[in-house]
Amino acid sequence: MQDLASATWTQAAMRGIACKCPRCGKGKLYAGFLTLRPSCDQCGLDYAFIDAGDGPAIFIIMIAGFIVVGSALVVEIKYQPPFWVHAALWIPLILATTLLPLRSMKSLLIALQHHHKASEGQLIEQNRE
């Protein structure tokens, strides 16, 4: 059997972008839009270690904000359209740049978390003499 823990960084990133299991790359990661499965249906990896937190949302907000605000400024300066045109243009763009990449960004961070064996920080007691 192939050693499942020996994925390279690029393999881990590709598994993450594809929303697949970070260990085997075959099982599905999600049961819903952002709801994780309890474990991989192919290799049995328990997904209890996963804690992506707000990281994916922050990355997406920063990237989408740069795209949308930059585009809105360019359109406003060049064309000065009425506000309803801004709403018609930017609301769909905001939805597209935030909701579409959110699953992939979350699973990418999960895959990199698994690849680097990230865990909760712990204090190490030092012997004081």
Side-chain angles (χ1 to χ4, degrees):
M1 177 181 232
Q2 175 187 357
D3 182 17
L4 297 175
S6 65
T8 64
W9 183 88
T10 54
Q11 286 174 329
M14 295 308 290
R15 289 174 183 175
I17 292 171
C19 300
K20 298 293 183 183
C21 172
R23 181 164 66 181
C24 70
K26 296 178 184 166
K28 293 180 181 179
L29 190 61
Y30 294 108
F33 181 67
L34 289 175
T35 306
L36 296 171
R37 293 176 179 269
S39 64
C40 177
D41 55 353
Q42 298 291 318
C43 69
L45 175 66
D46 185 17
Y47 293 154
F49 73 92
I50 295 173
D51 183 23
D54 292 333
I58 296 299
F59 283 122
I60 295 300
I61 288 169
M62 294 298 173
I63 294 167
F66 178 77
I67 292 169
V68 173
V69 171
S71 301
L73 286 173
V74 168
V75 168
E76 177 62 31
I77 290 170
K78 281 188 93 161
Y79 304 108
Q80 299 177 349
F83 289 124
W84 68 268
V85 173
H86 279 294
L89 289 173
W90 310 127
I91 290 174
L93 184 63
I94 289 169
L95 293 174
T97 57
T98 55
L99 295 179
L100 294 178
L102 189 56
R103 278 178 61 120
S104 295
M105 181 61 77
K106 182 176 180 178
S107 59
L108 173 64
L109 290 181
I110 289 167
L112 293 177
Q113 181 182 17
H114 179 266
H115 175 73
H116 293 291
K117 298 174 181 63
S119 61
E120 190 174 322
Q122 299 175 0
L123 295 175
I124 300 173
E125 288 189 29
Q126 298 177 357
N127 293 334
R128 297 183 189 209
E129 296 177 28

